[in-house]
Amino acid sequence: MKTASLTLIGLLLATSALLAPGAAYAQIQTALPGPDPTTEVDEVVVLGRHIPEPNRESSEVAAFLTAEDLERTGDSSAAAALTRVTGLTIVEGRFIYVRGLGERYSSALLNGSPLPSPEPLQRVVPLDLFPASILESVTVQKSYSADFPGEFGGGVIDLRTIDAPRDPFFSFSASIGGNTETTNEESLIYYGSRTDFTGFDDGTRDVPGPIALAFSSGRQINRANFSTDELQAMGQSLVNAPLRLLQRETTPVNFGFDVAGGLSSDSSLGTLGLIGVAGYSNTWSTRRGFQEEGQFSGDAIVPVTSKAFESNQNDLQLNLLAGLSLTVQDHELKWTNLYVRSTTKEARTSAGPDLSVGGGILRDDYTEWFVRELLSSQLAGEHFFMDGALEFAWRAAWAHTSRDAPYESRFQYGVNADGDYIHNPSNLISFSELDEDVVSGGADVRYALPLSDAREAVFSLGVAYMDTTREATRHDLQLAAVSGLTDEQRRSRIDFLFSDFNINPTTIELRQVSGTNGAGAYDAGLEVAAVYAQVDAEILPLLRTTVGVRFEDSRQTVTPRDLFGGTTTFAASELEAQYYLPSFTATWNFAEDQQVRLGASQTIGRPQFRELAPQSYIDPESDREFTGNPFLVDTEILNLDARYEWYFARQQYLTAGVFYKDLDKPVESVVVLTGDQRQQSFLNAPKATVYGAEVEAKKYFEFPDAGWSFVANKRWLVQANYTWSTSEVQVDADDVVFTQGGGGAPEQASFFIADGSRLQGQSDHVANLQMGWEDDTARSQATIIVNYVSERITARGAGAAGAREPDYIQDPGVFLDFVYRRDFEYAGRDLGFALELRNLLNTDYDEFQELGNRIRINNYDLGSSATVSLTARF
């Protein structure tokens, strides 16, 4: 049993109780009309007329993105939109880091229900799956409250989908765009299937029948288990040229469309509402850059592997949202269904000196097809009794995600004496599948007890349950030369070499090289049962306090499975724990439209399934191999927050805050050396702290007397936020860690992590700036958007004899965007035009190591992009 101490919470409660009476008394004295002692004032309450409704209703440190915010920035997905929020950064275009903490410390909810992830490396759902068109609002809560799941570090992100409208509507929009590095450029491609442009394969990539039978038999594909005729039939059943031959073709433009509609209608049952959204996008991105690996040479690090690479990625996304609601006086039922399918088709190649062959030239060609699907169905209800004083809310949801990667192929080439590329024996064809289901439910009861005409105490009690199951399988195949290849065969084109003619018992034979002992498959599960109690009360005028505690009983397992029925050498991981997680916040509305918030809480962070599983996996974003560590444990986190808020006018404000987090056993990614090969794995660092400050301001300016109509007719906006933070990982001489490579035996922590180094993923500086105008007369809006993120650690450098390599560093840099929107009428139809210009500074992607020399770990140009869209409203 693990418990969290309530000592800090009690201290803050006592402090608030001591300060509040004097503060309230001062407010009352200020409000008295004169010195007449007979004047009686029952209670004076600062109303805060400019405080926005979400901020007024929330007792926590939080940020809110409304539909208006999403429209102004023009971001296509939830991930892109959240980069505008104070203290948030985006990694790989998909995962959100809050206050410098990695994506594992942030949880995502859809209408309050948890979501599974289709990513092998993460349990957190990638937020690029959620198009902005389906979202009504996004809430980022940075201070913890007991009504949220206890797995909370940087924050919780609650995505709220759009509801049925009061008035019926229908809209259609289409967009077209391009990128300077990609569009109309000659780029790599492979054919695939006839229907790839839809995001659905026509069956070309299905596992061939003979191989599927072999997989299901549980026998490894080799001569010990199958005859030469059977192996020949399996090898010849693999699709050849369409999925292996790299070609060059001019990359087309990006395009997409969205359709949305909704209505409400009164019936004998109540008011029925219906909302539907559908979208499709087809985008391309070409990357050309360098990938290097370094090793010590004396006191400096020098490149020993240096490859130029090129990739071309086609991303196709289909999303469907359907919602049905029924409202009857004090009762509302909602049924929300979401389907997202995201397909990535990629061709890439890399070539250059490689340490694995003594610095000789190697070339690797890849063809890949990744399909990620998310299906979520949620039923929820809200019921009010006793004139609204008693509220009962419930939700039940089922969500399924999958990731299918068939024919994930790599073929390698060396260089002969004439300098020509020839085939190497090394090649790999993989079929991997991941399926994850989440069944969840919860219920909350809230009772509002009036304390006066203006104050109340809200008592909340709730229960929640979540059961997550995951199954992951990976089959690796190799087309191996039986007795070596002739020079003519090694020089031949790839589809000629692996044609049916050459696949026979004497030339090339199919073999299965999947990891055994549990390295090829695993089953995982996470079951969490929780109950919480919370009181949100303005016991004293002007001082609102929220105190709660959540109890969670959890069991997380990762069980390696041998594909061939053998006994696994990797033991199953099981983390079973119970936690009491207290939370406290206080909000003091000490002046008109001004308030101060204080918060303290205890939360946890759990290792992700993939971090616990021994199965190896190549990340296509970085071309690096990852493997898990079954000896990881939970992270326990102390959170402290303080924030000042001043809402000096409607939609205008100034906020400033500080925060502190203490992490016990945070999970870090480290590079480990296995001979000349590098892998990334995971370990629990001993301790770490993160603290910082953040400030945000939003101000509108109007110049009605300006002589220039362009200025006079517009409302000008300046909005900016800045977060400074610092972190430190603490490693004492006697601290130990437990790694998979060490077999679970204690190892000296300082061999892997330097004392005083920054926490992985933390950036010292994050800043956003928006400047623009709104013109109600012309129905136009323009915004210049600037985003800056300073350097952060992406992985710990590998430990070497007597030294440790420098950490991997990424420098995100500065991004400059421009968004222009204008509504107009044409032929009696209401239309909308939008222009989006992204990365106008042409900032590149830069990940490196540096010690005497700069090693380009992963470096490529992102290019600038432009998108034009037109929307018709009916």
Side-chain angles (χ1 to χ4, degrees), residues 788-803:
Y788 169 69
V789 179
S790 64
E791 294 179 354
R792 60 186 171 217
I793 296 173
T794 56
R796 300 293 179 189

Side-chain angles (χ1 to χ4, degrees), residues 759-808:
L759 193 67
Q760 183 184 329
Q762 182 261 326
S763 295
D764 288 344
H765 309 282
V766 178
N768 294 284
L769 173 66
Q770 295 182 40
M771 298 183 296
W773 78 73
E774 297 174 355
D775 189 333
D776 292 337
T777 303
R779 302 173 65 190
S780 66
Q781 185 184 83
T783 312
I784 296 172
I785 305 166
V786 183
N787 172 251
Y788 169 69
V789 179
S790 64
E791 294 179 354
R792 60 186 171 217
I793 296 173
T794 56
R796 300 293 179 189
R804 194 181 62 84
E805 293 181 0
D807 294 332
Y808 288 13

Side-chain angles (χ1 to χ4, degrees), residues 2 24 35 63 118 125-126 144 152 154 160 237 266 312 327 347 431 443 447 501 539 545 586 651 653 698 708 828 857:
K2 296 184 179 180
V125 63
Y144 176 70
F152 178 104
R160 293 284 169 174
S237 70
D266 292 331
N312 190 27
T327 304
F431 295 86
Y447 176 69
F501 177 79
I539 299 175
T545 57
Q651 296 182 329
Y653 54 81
K698 182 178 181 181
W708 188 15
I857 299 296

Side-chain angles (χ1 to χ4, degrees), residues 92-94 287 291 313 346 348 617-624 845 858 860:
E92 297 180 8
R94 297 178 291 168
R287 298 173 179 175
Q291 293 174 338
Q313 181 173 305
E346 183 174 8
R348 73 182 192 275
Y617 167 75
I618 300 294
D619 179 15
E621 289 288 333
S622 62
D623 271 344
R624 293 201 286 270
Y845 183 93
N858 200 12
Y860 55 86

Side-chain angles (χ1 to χ4, degrees), residues 383-396:
H383 311 275
F384 296 90
F385 307 94
M386 302 171 60
D387 295 326
L390 178 65
E391 177 188 358
F392 174 64
W394 58 272
R395 62 198 175 275

Side-chain angles (χ1 to χ4, degrees), residues 365-602:
D365 291 350
Y366 301 83
T367 59
E368 294 161 327
W369 173 267
F370 304 107
V371 179
R372 299 179 294 162
E373 286 188 315
L374 166 64
L375 177 60
S376 171
S377 183
Q378 182 195 59
L379 191 63
E382 286 186 292
H383 311 275
F384 296 90
F385 307 94
M386 302 171 60
D387 295 326
L390 178 65
E391 177 188 358
F392 174 64
W394 58 272
R395 62 198 175 275
W398 168 81
H400 172 78
T401 58
S402 64
R403 180 186 184 272
D404 187 19
Y407 278 97
E408 188 179 348
S409 302
R410 186 199 74 190
F411 295 93
Q412 193 173 85
Y413 302 82
V415 174
N416 63 11
D418 298 328
D420 298 326
Y421 284 113
I422 58 174
H423 289 282
N424 266 5
S426 178
N427 63 74
L428 198 66
I429 302 169
S430 301
F431 295 86
S432 62
E433 292 183 351
L434 181 150
D435 290 279
E436 184 168 314
D437 291 277
V438 173
V439 176
S440 64
D444 305 274
V445 178
R446 298 181 180 90
Y447 176 69
L449 175 67
L451 301 178
S452 73
D453 292 339
R455 296 181 293 114
E456 64 181 13
V458 179
F459 298 87
S460 301
L461 183 67
V463 295
Y465 176 79
M466 179 185 72
D467 185 17
T468 304
T469 57
R470 172 183 284 196
E471 181 179 345
T473 304
R474 181 182 179 91
H475 294 274
D476 292 327
L477 304 174
Q478 187 179 76
L479 291 165
V482 177
S483 57
L485 299 175
T486 66
D487 285 344
E488 182 181 357
Q489 289 169 334
R490 296 188 68 184
R491 291 171 181 267
S492 62
R493 212 170 72 178
I494 189 170
D495 54 331
F496 295 162
L497 174 63
F498 296 113
S499 64
D500 289 352
F501 177 79
N502 286 329
I503 297 178
N504 56 62
T506 61
T507 309
I508 295 175
E509 189 173 80
L510 184 68
R511 299 171 185 170
Q512 188 169 6
V513 294
S514 302
T516 57
N517 302 323
Y522 69 90
D523 299 322
L526 172 63
E527 186 176 13
V528 181
V531 60
Y532 79 91
Q534 184 170 276
V535 180
D536 182 357
E538 193 175 347
I539 299 175
L540 297 171
L542 316 173
L543 181 66
R544 176 183 180 183
T545 57
T546 304
V547 181
V549 63
R550 185 182 188 91
F551 172 76
E552 286 196 352
D553 186 357
S554 64
R555 181 175 180 265
Q556 182 175 1
T557 60
V558 174
T559 306
R561 239 184 329 112
D562 193 294
L563 291 173
F564 314 117
T567 302
T568 64
T569 57
F570 298 108
S573 299
E574 182 172 343
L575 298 175
E576 189 169 358
Q578 297 81 38
Y579 294 96
Y580 288 96
L581 304 172
S583 65
F584 166 83
T585 56
T587 303
W588 179 25
N589 188 190
F590 65 92
E592 176 71 11
D593 296 315
Q594 296 184 60
Q595 56 191 22
V596 171
R597 300 182 191 269
L598 299 175
S601 62
Q602 289 273 4

